[in-house]
Amino acid sequence: QVQLVESGGGLVQAGGSLRLSCAASGRTISSISMGWFRQAPGKEREFVAARTRSGGSLTSTYYSDYVKGRFTISRDNVKNTVYLQMNNLKPEDTAIYYCAAAKELSLPVVVVTTEGAYDYWGQGTRVTVSS
């Protein structure tokens, strides 16, 4: 079992930045794939970013087109924590952000952006971006 606890959400003005944290327990994050998803009011949950092993010791990161260039997913193995640095935030980034973990170290590229590939979910942290 993997437990995930998100933090770092809040209210920010458009153009501002936030860093979300996802503290994991039960497995080391270096042995699993990690992702971030979000759900805006009245919408379905959507993929934001992910890290997964792509081959050998290489790690690949993936981003949705909506956040590419503005958001960065990273991790701290010592703290067993994954981060989502969000810059140049826009009102349309307003959502509940969820951290997710997959049992597999390496996820195929065709599924890494899909909810079904992930086995464990955090409770979410709310991000509100005002215009």
Side-chain angles (χ1 to χ4, degrees), residues 10 35 39 74 118:
Q39 186 167 20
S74 63
Y118 296 86

Side-chain angles (χ1 to χ4, degrees), residues 86-102:
M86 306 186 295
N87 298 327
N88 190 23
L89 283 160
K90 305 176 180 181
E92 50 265 42
D93 295 318
T94 294
I96 298 175
Y97 284 71
Y98 296 92
C99 177

Side-chain angles (χ1 to χ4, degrees), residues 51-68:
R51 290 177 59 95
T52 188
R53 185 67 61 85
S54 57
S57 61
L58 298 177
T59 297
S60 291
T61 54
Y62 298 88
Y63 298 94
S64 89
D65 289 341
Y66 298 111
V67 308
K68 196 173 296 183

Side-chain angles (χ1 to χ4, degrees), residues 5 74 82 98 101 129:
V5 179
S74 63
V82 173
Y98 296 92
V129 184

